[in-house]
Amino acid sequence: MLQTWTAVDDYFNGLQIEQDSALLAAGEGSEAAGLPPHQVAPNQGKLLHLLARIQGARSILEIGTLGGYSTIWLARALPEGGRLVTLEADEHHAAVAAANVARAGLDHVVGLRVGKALDTLPSLAGPFDLVFIDADKPSNPDYLDWALKLTQPGSVIVGDNVVRDGAVTDPASTDPRVQGVRRFTELIAEHPRLTATTIQTVGAKGYDGFTLALVTA
């Protein structure tokens, strides 16, 4: 099935996704620097870009920068005067991301904070119009708590990689990433300020999914 999913991605991406030299260099540069292959796919990057534009976001928080590929997609959705803050725990990843963002001409828009997100989040001032959570999954419940503190009614929260190849359905899983995602999902479902949905995805990067939540109050 992966071959078919990849072919379908290639078909739609060829017609709908505009990857310029900066985006291509960000992907290739991250790979060359030995970063893990966890960046969003091109169509997922475009989805984040469109979500930010549809929302009219002027301020974006990204938790988990990796090589800055998704950062570039999101930052390009901002209007003049917009800002994006991205948090990355790994110094090497952050250095690669900084170079990629600068190459894209977005270093004046993007503020890259290096350090564990749970250490840097308390220093941030919101509100943010969109929060993209794509970092260590065991900490997702804590990231959600901070996202709620740093957003306002109408803000959008996106959580990536929540399906875990279907393992999210196993309440007895011993994988802390699965348990982090399960608790993240339960907290969203229980929270009176949130309404959400989760979409399963298949494609060149395999089987996973994302959660999309709207802050209502």
Side-chain angles (χ1 to χ4, degrees), residues 144 157 183-192 194-196 211 213:
L144 177 64
I157 300 171
R183 186 59 185 147
F184 171 77
T185 306
E186 292 160 1
L187 288 169
I188 289 174
E190 296 166 0
H191 205 287
L194 293 173
T195 183
T211 294

Side-chain angles (χ1 to χ4, degrees), residues 167-176 178-179 182:
V168 70
T169 62
D170 181 8
S173 173
T174 58
D175 186 335
V178 171
Q179 291 301 330
R182 285 179 61 87

Side-chain angles (χ1 to χ4, degrees), residues 30 45 58 64 70 75 78 81 92 97 106 113 142-143 155-156 186 192 200 204:
S30 296
R58 296 188 60 84
S70 56
L78 290 166
H92 175 57
L106 294 166
R113 309 287 182 91
D142 295 316
Y143 297 148
S155 294
V156 171
E186 292 160 1
Q200 300 181 76

Side-chain angles (χ1 to χ4, degrees), residues 61 63 83 117-118 121-129 131 133 141-153 155 157 191 193-194 215 217:
L61 171 61
I63 304 175
R83 65 177 181 126
L118 293 179
L121 281 163
S123 68
L124 301 184
F128 291 95
D129 300 314
V131 178
I133 301 173
D142 295 316
Y143 297 148
L144 177 64
D145 183 55
W146 275 104
L148 285 164
K149 291 176 182 177
L150 292 168
T151 51
Q152 60 188 343
S155 294
I157 300 171
H191 205 287
R193 292 179 57 209
L194 293 173
V215 181

Side-chain angles (χ1 to χ4, degrees), residues 13 26 29 37 47 53 62 83 90 111 142-143 147 152 166 195 199 216:
N13 288 353
L47 175 62
R53 290 181 64 182
E62 179 181 50
R83 65 177 181 126
D90 187 286
D142 295 316
Y143 297 148
Q152 60 188 343
T195 183
I199 304 297
T216 60

